[in-house]
Amino acid sequence: MRVGVLTGGGDCPGLNAVIRAVVRKGVEGHGWDVLGFRNGWQGPLEGKVKPIGLDDVEDILTRGGTILGSSRTNPYQVEGGLEKIKSVLAEHGVDALIAIGGEDTLGVAKRLTDDGVGVVGVPKTIDNDLNATDYTFGFDTAVHIATESIDRLRTTAESHHRALVVEVMGRHAGWIALHAGLAGGANVILVPERPFSVDKVIEWVRRRFERQYAPIIVVAEGALPEGGAELLASGEKDAFGHVRLGGVGTWLAEEIATKTGEESRAVVLGHTQRGGTPTAYDRVLATRFGLHAVDAVADGDFGVMVALRGTDIVRVKLAEATAELKTVPLERYAEAEIFFG
């Protein structure tokens, strides 16, 4: 049997751990050939493929990024995309695909399954916003990076008596902001799930300054002020129709400085949250996902995504996994209500 594997969408720590698990179990456990498709869906679309053996994955467990490369290519936006993918798979004798990605990559995987291509999905995103799985790999690492950054920023904020606004990733879901904000002891946490009152944020900041402490505000990139709109870094859209967000942190820091008369600075963590060595938790979770994805292929169980439920790895339909985004259910975080601006 010959199995293809690809990584699509934004990179994140743990991708290489999945690839390693797929190759090791596929080759040693089943005697399969494993082919890596380069740059996400661009690989099977354009025939960018290379064999992956045991030697290729020997030292990649701790590496961030992906040895296969990634892209936000959408084959259904390319004329004849489906036929091209089927032709490339047939040319290389690929019997099944393991697609590692988030909502967009797995949305394509679901459509391909409907069109007769055997695909198994693996959930990847630092945003933790994929439905039907408790956690995605990459999230834990992103939260650790953001939390450490908040810890470091707190010392300089206290030294200069400044308000510091830390902008983290999170287009529609505030999981990173919530977890990093709580772990880092932020005074205000702003998430996309709840539009925030600028006046309320200013009130919290003033109270913090009155106690002779520097305020720390953590804001997700997709957080909205009441009555406001998303702040765009660029009006351009990618192949899945997403615009690039950015700037809410800087905007809010300027509002704080203007309305309080205190110094305020913004720090945008950006792609640092995606990079570097994955945490031990993400290495283990990614490895387990990869091993179970191979099992699904061996069983001929296509159109599914491996998912974490409690401590178990289960299979769910790709249709369920991509039906809607998993956002932060604020009603379940009543104990943290005091922190939401």
Side-chain angles (χ1 to χ4, degrees):
M1 188 170 187
R2 181 166 286 182
V3 176
V5 60
L6 62 84
T7 55
D11 66 297
C12 84
L15 286 167
N16 287 323
V18 182
I19 297 169
R20 174 177 175 269
V22 168
V23 172
R24 292 194 63 174
K25 188 164 189 176
V27 173
E28 294 188 306
H30 296 281
W32 296 345
D33 294 327
V34 180
L35 298 182
F37 285 96
R38 300 280 302 172
N39 303 334
W41 290 115
Q42 193 179 98
L45 191 64
E46 301 177 7
K48 297 181 177 180
V49 59
K50 69 172 184 177
I52 313 178
L54 294 175
D55 289 344
D56 297 305
V57 299
E58 182 64 31
D59 299 315
I60 67 172
L61 179 63
T62 62
R63 286 172 57 181
T66 164
I67 62 169
L68 293 177
S70 190
S71 74
R72 298 189 185 276
T73 302
N74 184 351
Y76 284 95
Q77 292 295 316
V78 177
E79 185 175 352
L82 174 61
E83 290 71 25
K84 290 178 181 179
I85 285 181
K86 286 185 173 180
S87 175
V88 168
L89 296 182
E91 177 187 347
H92 292 280
V94 175
D95 301 294
L97 272 176
I98 294 176
I100 311 165
E103 56 166 324
D104 296 326
T105 300
L106 298 186
V108 171
K110 191 267 180 188
R111 292 186 64 178
L112 284 174
T113 299
D114 293 343
D115 289 326
V117 179
V119 187
V120 170
V122 176
K124 169 247 41 164
T125 168
I126 67 169
D127 292 327
N128 197 41
D129 60 358
L130 257 176
N131 202 22
T133 184
D134 290 348
Y135 286 100
T136 56
F137 72 87
F139 172 67
D140 187 69
T141 303
V143 170
H144 273 259
I145 292 169
T147 301
E148 182 181 9
S149 298
I150 293 167
D151 292 345
R152 292 176 180 274
L153 290 167
R154 181 180 299 282
T155 60
T156 185
E158 295 289 357
S159 296
H160 293 276
H161 311 291
R162 292 170 176 157
L164 264 174
V165 180
V166 184
E167 182 181 313
V168 300
M169 286 186 170
R171 174 182 294 273
H172 300 299
W175 293 104
I176 295 177
L178 172 66
H179 283 248
L182 287 175
N187 307 110
V188 181
I189 302 170
L190 307 176
V191 295
E193 289 83 352
R194 175 183 294 176
F196 62 90
S197 163
V198 176
D199 290 338
K200 183 68 174 177
V201 172
I202 298 300
E203 177 188 336
W204 282 72
V205 167
R206 284 197 173 113
R207 286 166 58 182
R208 185 72 177 168
F209 274 126
E210 287 170 0
R211 295 178 57 206
Q212 303 302 308
Y213 290 105
I216 300 290
I217 300 95
V218 175
V219 55
E221 63 185 346
L224 304 173
E226 292 177 348
E230 294 176 326
L231 292 176
L232 308 182
S234 168
E236 297 178 3
K237 295 183 178 180
D238 64 19
F240 293 94
H242 300 311
V243 292
R244 196 171 135 216
L245 301 181
V248 65
T250 300
W251 175 83
L252 184 58
E254 291 172 353
E255 288 288 302
I256 291 171
T258 299
K259 294 184 178 182
T260 66
E262 303 282 357
E263 272 196 84
S264 182
R265 297 285 189 275
V267 177
V268 180
L269 298 187
H271 286 78
T272 60
Q273 296 158 92
R274 291 190 181 280
T277 300
T279 60
Y281 180 87
D282 275 339
R283 295 182 205 183
V284 172
L285 180 59
T287 297
R288 294 182 71 199
F289 278 157
L291 298 176
H292 281 263
V294 170
D295 290 341
V297 172
D299 293 341
D301 191 7
F302 301 121
V304 300
M305 180 189 82
V306 292
L308 180 69
R309 294 282 178 85
T311 58
D312 297 326
I313 305 296
V314 300
R315 300 174 194 172
V316 299
K317 293 296 184 182
L318 280 169
E320 178 186 355
T322 58
E324 60 182 355
L325 288 177
K326 181 182 69 181
T327 55
V328 175
L330 295 179
E331 67 278 2
R332 282 172 47 194
Y333 288 87
E335 69 273 19
E337 180 68 24
I338 190 172
F339 295 105
F340 292 109

